[in-house]
Amino acid sequence: MSDLFPTYSPAWESDDHRLLRKHAAQFFRKEATPNQAKWAKQQQVDREFWNKTGSAGLLGLNLPDEYGGGGADYGHEVVVAQERAYAHDTAFGFVVHSVLGSQYISSYASDEQKKQWIPKLVSGDMVIAVAMSEPGTGSDLQSIRTTAVRDGDDYVINGSKTFISNGSHCDLLVIVARTGDNLSLIAAETNGLDGFERGRALDKIGQHGQDTRELSFTDMRVPAANLLGGVEGKGFAQLMEQLPRERLTIGIDCVAVAEAAVLETIKYAKERKAFGQPIIEFQNTKFVLAECKAEVLAGKTLIDHCIQQYQSGDLDAATASIAKMWGSDKLVDIVDRCLQIFGGYGYMMDYPIAQMYAAARVQKIYGGTNEIMKVLIARSL
């Protein structure tokens, strides 16, 4: 149930989803919210937090149960992602691990690999990352330069990656590499792997507790059996197949953070006094928050439509791009207007609104920039 819209109930949400929502809300408010400053200082969550989240039954819910996953639907992942946002967490790489990265394993790995890796992803014993972006390559995936050359029973991988979420903690890495003229996806177990190097932790504008690093590969040998999908050259198609899920998930996260920002601002505006009255009594404050509340409701209806489309297998790339573009644009706008109501305190990182503001801006960039989203949407006209 939404705190901003108490009677709002998505059509896709079942009693099981609502029970999970309550459990996830309690978990993240207890285990994540109080640790934001600590995680920001160390530039990563505590490694044991992954196992703690796994023990709470919050990882890999959409992974197939025959391989040790949760066997639940995408909506269960959505609920956890939303409650993490409502808890003001900007550090934990849940989405990359549970909602996105693990899907490459469940969709393209062999049965043996699924049996080996999925239980560890669910427990938090393994953390997954996706190594896609490179120093000279952002949204243009066709320009990827990392190479994987077959040598006997191995691939020899050379190249570098940047902006890799979960880069410090990852035990399993899905690498986008060039095999000849085309791209392929290759999974690598990183612990003790010769030629694998974690570079510097990146100093970002926001999401300071999010584990983000540069990675490099120097003559790194990975078993040829780790080629996802079993055939070279299928990587671009695999990425395109998964990107609508990624873009929808970004949109979901954006609208959830926007809702959290409005709730936090309403609370502050009722407590903060100026000129002898709570600032929520001023017409400008009321009008700003009224506009923000209306836009959050519009966003929730868009997102829930897209979730239903995804669940039924009908979500197309253009509609997923709309969710990502509109959601991230509105998030940046809404959190900016909310921050203004806090005045000088809104600029202090001690306040969740400042953390949301700093974390919001990247949402218009990753998962494909919003300019790329416009290109994809335009193709559907």
Side-chain angles (χ1 to χ4, degrees), residues 23 59 61 122 157 169 217 272 275 292 296 322 369:
H23 170 57
L59 296 179
L61 290 168
V122 171
I157 301 178
H169 283 154
F217 322 120
R272 172 72 166 166
F275 305 102
C292 290
V296 169
I322 289 171
T369 65

Side-chain angles (χ1 to χ4, degrees), residues 13 25 61 104 135 180-182 214 234 249 256 262 279 329:
E13 193 173 78
L61 290 168
Y104 287 100
D181 294 332
N182 298 306
E214 295 174 335
K234 296 174 68 174
T249 304
V262 175
I279 62 174
D329 280 345

Side-chain angles (χ1 to χ4, degrees), residues 55-209:
S55 296
L58 297 175
L59 296 179
L61 290 168
N62 192 209
L63 295 175
D65 53 6
E66 62 264 37
Y67 299 106
D73 63 27
Y74 175 69
H76 291 80
E77 300 280 14
V78 170
V79 164
V80 179
Q82 288 174 329
E83 292 303 326
R84 185 191 68 83
Y86 296 153
H88 302 162
D89 174 66
T90 63
F92 185 42
F94 166 81
V95 167
V96 170
H97 174 92
S98 194
V99 189
L100 305 177
S102 297
Q103 285 299 308
Y104 287 100
I105 303 304
S106 67
S107 298
Y108 310 121
S110 68
D111 285 348
E112 182 180 340
Q113 289 164 342
K114 291 175 188 178
K115 291 174 183 175
Q116 178 184 353
W117 291 332
I118 286 179
K120 295 178 181 179
L121 294 171
V122 171
S123 69
D125 288 338
M126 262 189 168
V127 176
I128 194 169
V130 180
M132 191 181 308
S133 297
E134 296 185 353
T137 303
S139 297
D140 182 11
L141 297 176
Q142 297 286 15
S143 297
I144 282 174
R145 301 181 66 178
T146 295
T147 60
V149 178
R150 183 70 181 261
D151 182 28
D153 292 333
D154 295 330
Y155 279 103
V156 179
I157 301 178
N158 285 280
S160 60
K161 300 288 183 178
T162 193
F163 312 140
I164 308 305
S165 299
N166 297 343
S168 297
H169 283 154
C170 67
D171 311 281
L172 186 62
L173 185 64
V174 176
I175 302 166
V176 184
R178 187 163 296 284
T179 49
D181 294 332
N182 298 306
L183 299 178
S184 297
L185 304 185
I186 300 172
E189 296 186 57
T190 62
N191 291 337
L193 182 59
D194 291 339
F196 172 73
E197 185 175 351
R198 303 179 204 264
R200 65 192 178 101
L202 299 176
D203 191 13
K204 308 182 295 296
I205 288 176
Q207 298 185 359
H208 297 140

Side-chain angles (χ1 to χ4, degrees), residues 224-273:
N226 288 16
L227 174 69
L228 297 180
V231 178
E232 287 187 2
K234 296 174 68 174
F236 188 77
Q238 291 165 335
L239 291 168
M240 292 302 103
E241 188 174 32
Q242 296 298 326
L243 278 173
R245 179 185 176 102
E246 177 176 354
R247 287 162 181 164
L248 170 57
T249 304
I250 292 171
I252 290 166
D253 190 55
C254 287
V255 172
V257 175
E259 183 171 0
V262 175
L263 284 165
E264 189 71 8
T265 308
I266 292 171
K267 177 183 174 183
Y268 178 81
K270 289 179 177 179
E271 296 172 350
R272 172 72 166 166
K273 290 185 177 180

